[in-house]
């Protein structure tokens, strides 16, 4: 009877630890491209962030990758979110005057951890992570001269923006908590992005 009980407990433990929010898909860092592949990836404190769609609700699909802005706005924003991870990662890149300045190097400066017109009027990054020890979400804001965004291609007729980035971000509530974002890259064709699939 004891071996039977032990086997049942082992089977239960295996079943519980094998559960996940996805179907076994393992995300990888995409290649650096400039052809409008609708890709995004970076390491956040050494852990990979790639966009993955959620299951959605009656309000619509959980879109994990967005590009906001227009030629009439001073800012443009890229948002990437992993709906299938347990840590609720969201990364927003606020790019000032992208349509006016186009390709080139943009210094990543201080963020106030806001979006759109409420954000600091510079190029900055904000990041949301789940803090398991405090059981709360924390926002991280880029710091002044804290990194570089390189727009390697900005092609308005083709609706393509591509680039790479890295920076340091500081916890909005705990200023001694500073983490690094590395190996960031994106390649967006914003007129096809709404129909792109992110596993």
């Amino acid at each position: 009877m004891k071996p039977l009980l032990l086997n049942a407990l082992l089977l239960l433990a295996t079943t519980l630890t094998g559960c996940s929010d996805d179907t076994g898909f393992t995300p990888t860092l995409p290649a650096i491209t400039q052809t409008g592949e609708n890709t995004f990836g970076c390491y956040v404190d050494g852990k990979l962030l790639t966009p993955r769609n959620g299951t959605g609700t009656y309000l619509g699909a959980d879109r994990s990758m967005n590009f906001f802005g227009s030629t009439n706005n001073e800012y443009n924003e890229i948002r990437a979110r992993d709906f299938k991870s347990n840590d609720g990662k969201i990364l927003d890149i606020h790019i000032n005057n992208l349509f006016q300045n186009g390709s080139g190097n943009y210094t990543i400066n201080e963020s106030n951890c806001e979006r759109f017109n409420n954000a600091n009027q510079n190029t900055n990054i904000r990041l949301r992570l789940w803090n398991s020890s405090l059981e709360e979400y924390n926002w991280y804001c880029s710091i002044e001269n804290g990194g570089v965004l390189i727009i390697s291609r900005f092609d308005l007729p083709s609706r393509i923006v591509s680039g790479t980035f890295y920076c340091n971000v500081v916890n909005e509530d705990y200023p001694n908590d500073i983490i690094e974002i590395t190996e960031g890259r994106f390649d967006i064709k914003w007129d096809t992005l709404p129909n792109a699939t992110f596993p």
Side-chain angles (χ1 to χ4, degrees), residues 42-49 87-91 108-109 113 125-131 137-148 165-183:
C42 66
Y43 286 101
V44 174
D45 202 23
K47 297 177 182 175
L48 182 62
L49 165 61
D87 57 9
K89 286 189 191 87
I90 298 174
L91 191 143
I108 296 173
N109 285 310
C113 276
I125 288 179
R126 74 176 195 156
L127 167 75
R128 188 187 79 171
L129 288 179
W130 175 253
N131 186 324
Y137 285 110
N138 289 159
W139 283 101
Y140 289 78
C141 317
S142 59
I143 60 179
E144 191 69 16
N145 199 26
V148 175
F165 63 95
Y166 65 88
C167 72
N168 290 327
V169 290
V170 60
N171 191 314
E172 186 178 34
D173 298 316
Y174 307 99
N176 293 326
D177 181 12
I178 299 173
I179 61 177
E180 210 175 6
I181 298 171
T182 58
E183 296 188 55

Side-chain angles (χ1 to χ4, degrees), residues 94-111:
H94 183 95
I95 310 169
N96 224 41
N97 296 315
L98 174 64
F99 280 80
Q100 288 74 24
N101 298 330
S103 300
N105 291 7
Y106 294 70
T107 300
I108 296 173
N109 285 310
E110 184 177 356
S111 168

